[in-house]
Amino acid sequence: MASSLTCTGVIWALLSLLCAAASCVGFFMPYWLLGSQMDKPVSFGTFRRCSYPVRDEESHTTVMLEQCGRYASFYGIPSLAWRISTVVTGVGCGLLLLVGLTALMGCCISDLISRTIGRVAGGIQFMGGLLIGSGCALYPLGWDSEEVQQTCNNSSDRFQLGSCQIGWAYYCTGAGAATAMLLCAWLSCFAGKKPKHYPY
């Protein structure tokens, strides 16, 4: 199979796919913020949560249901900052995934990625990384919500964790975005082969 990528381009394609996968997995997993409530571990993402209190009708008490799920609606997400973070991070992950899959196809299809298209793809990766980075930066603005405060011993506030801690998914999302924005965007400038000029 003919490739439209240089050797640097193949490295760019594989790294782009890896960065997109890291960011998308981190975004989807509800382990951005870790804490505990009623002696049970609780974790949050931007749009998902693990372990939440429910009313037990038989015993008329509140118990922790230990399972993960999405919020019932977009407006059920506990803070405006988390809603905005969900949208911008999701769009950024979509852009990284689009470029990563296109770059991977460039390994198998000749004339798919030229120098110009490689540079445009790098610009898209930079924008995607910037959006994800913005989502990660907005996330701590939601730590003052009631749900988070209940989980963090009522000691959390904006940019103050209280008794909670940042989880691996937050770091995974941010690292994927930073690598895409800095390293992949730079490598994309050298990804496509120079066009061949045929004398006629």
Side-chain angles (χ1 to χ4, degrees):
M1 281 188 285
S3 172
S4 60
L5 298 174
T6 61
C7 290
T8 304
V10 172
I11 295 168
W12 166 71
L14 296 175
L15 192 60
S16 295
L17 197 62
L18 186 65
C19 290
S23 292
C24 290
V25 166
F27 171 60
F28 186 73
M29 299 306 272
Y31 302 108
W32 283 38
L33 184 66
L34 309 173
S36 64
Q37 189 174 351
M38 297 169 64
D39 297 322
K40 302 286 185 187
V42 177
S43 60
F44 297 94
T46 59
F47 65 98
R48 298 182 74 213
R49 176 184 176 154
C50 287
S51 299
Y52 45 92
V54 293
R55 184 86 175 147
D56 186 6
E57 295 301 327
E58 292 178 11
S59 63
H60 300 290
T61 58
T62 302
V63 296
M64 289 299 286
L65 185 61
E66 294 185 71
Q67 63 183 20
C68 298
R70 292 188 319 261
Y71 288 99
S73 71
F74 182 71
Y75 293 102
I77 296 173
S79 79
L80 176 63
W82 283 14
R83 286 181 222 134
I84 295 169
S85 179
T86 298
V87 172
V88 297
T89 306
V91 170
C93 285
L95 290 175
L96 291 189
L97 202 56
L98 175 72
V99 172
L101 292 173
T102 304
L104 193 64
M105 286 190 300
C107 292
C108 306
I109 301 170
S110 63
D111 299 329
L112 179 65
I113 300 192
S114 64
R115 282 277 166 113
T116 305
I117 291 175
R119 290 178 180 147
V120 169
I124 293 170
Q125 282 181 306
F126 188 84
M127 281 301 301
L130 202 58
L131 285 170
I132 295 170
S134 300
C136 289
L138 286 170
Y139 188 72
L141 292 173
W143 293 349
D144 63 347
S145 70
E146 185 180 345
E147 281 188 39
V148 175
Q149 287 186 341
Q150 289 171 354
T151 303
C152 302
N153 289 333
N154 293 314
S155 57
S156 69
D157 201 357
R158 292 178 174 201
F159 294 98
Q160 292 180 355
L161 283 168
S163 64
C164 290
Q165 55 187 316
I166 293 174
W168 65 267
Y170 183 84
Y171 293 117
C172 186
T173 306
T179 306
M181 193 168 79
L182 302 173
L183 187 57
C184 291
W186 176 69
L187 286 174
S188 70
C189 295
F190 313 103
K193 292 181 178 174
K194 289 182 180 176
K196 295 177 183 175
H197 297 288
Y198 298 103
Y200 292 110

